[in-house]
Amino acid sequence: MERYSVQNHLQLNEFEICNPMSEEEIENQWKLLHSDMSVRFGEGMDMTGILFLIGVQELGKGNVTFSKQEKMDLIHIAICRILSPLGYYKMTGRDKDGWPHWELIAKLPNLSPEPQEIFLKGAIISYFKTDSPEPEAMSFYPQFNTN
């Protein structure tokens, strides 16, 4: 079953991107997601924070203290994960420490900052709609405990 059966083509600068939502739908859904994440995990949750959470979830290590480099790696994991359904990355496996590794399989669009933000927001929204565990699954990580 194809994940993106209904597709809109967003014209972001001079690059056309297939996305299951219009730009307006992306912004509306983002406001809802951002509000929910801020309630669950604290005010000030921005896109980087949400990507970090996705990376932590995808790593699946539980309550771990991460170095600055590992935090950057977690954000990279999240970006690879959210862009994999769009055909940009393919997971190649995990290393001996359990960290996932990804292969770039399609050239990423060269977008200016605003269109890039819309592109990533759409991919994050799709992740939470289709692949995300229940929020309670994040409770193992104290900073993100929803209780």
Side-chain angles (χ1 to χ4, degrees):
M1 179 177 189
E2 188 171 314
R3 180 172 300 183
Y4 300 103
S5 57
V6 177
Q7 299 187 352
N8 293 314
H9 294 274
L10 301 177
Q11 189 70 34
L12 301 176
N13 283 348
E14 295 186 9
F15 189 83
E16 196 171 297
I17 298 173
C18 287
N19 193 293
M21 297 175 281
S22 69
E23 190 172 334
E24 182 179 350
E25 289 173 304
I26 290 171
E27 288 301 334
N28 289 336
Q29 290 292 312
W30 180 257
K31 286 177 188 172
L32 293 172
L33 175 64
H34 183 262
S35 175
D36 182 57
M37 296 298 274
S38 293
V39 167
R40 292 176 190 270
F41 304 117
E43 290 299 317
M45 180 65 76
D46 60 5
M47 185 181 298
T48 302
I50 293 171
L51 288 169
F52 175 76
L53 286 174
I54 293 170
V56 168
Q57 181 60 39
E58 292 299 318
L59 179 61
K61 292 281 187 185
N63 188 5
V64 176
T65 301
F66 297 104
S67 69
K68 184 175 181 178
Q69 182 58 51
E70 288 172 329
K71 290 175 183 176
M72 296 302 296
D73 292 343
L74 288 165
I75 292 168
H76 177 71
I77 288 169
I79 290 170
C80 293
R81 177 62 188 86
I82 66 171
L83 296 181
S84 66
L86 298 173
Y88 292 104
Y89 287 94
K90 175 180 152 189
M91 187 174 174
T92 58
R94 292 182 179 263
D95 65 21
K96 64 180 176 53
D97 297 321
W99 285 73
H101 290 267
W102 299 81
E103 175 186 355
L104 181 66
I105 57 174
K107 185 179 178 191
L108 290 166
N110 185 16
L111 301 172
S112 61
E114 187 177 329
Q116 181 179 12
E117 184 176 305
I118 294 165
F119 178 61
L120 290 174
K121 284 178 180 179
I124 291 169
I125 291 163
S126 293
Y127 172 84
F128 279 100
K129 284 185 169 185
T130 59
D131 296 322
S132 175
E134 292 300 312
E136 296 77 37
M138 297 290 292
S139 64
F140 64 78
Y141 207 72
Q143 294 91 306
F144 310 119
N145 198 332
T146 60
N147 297 330

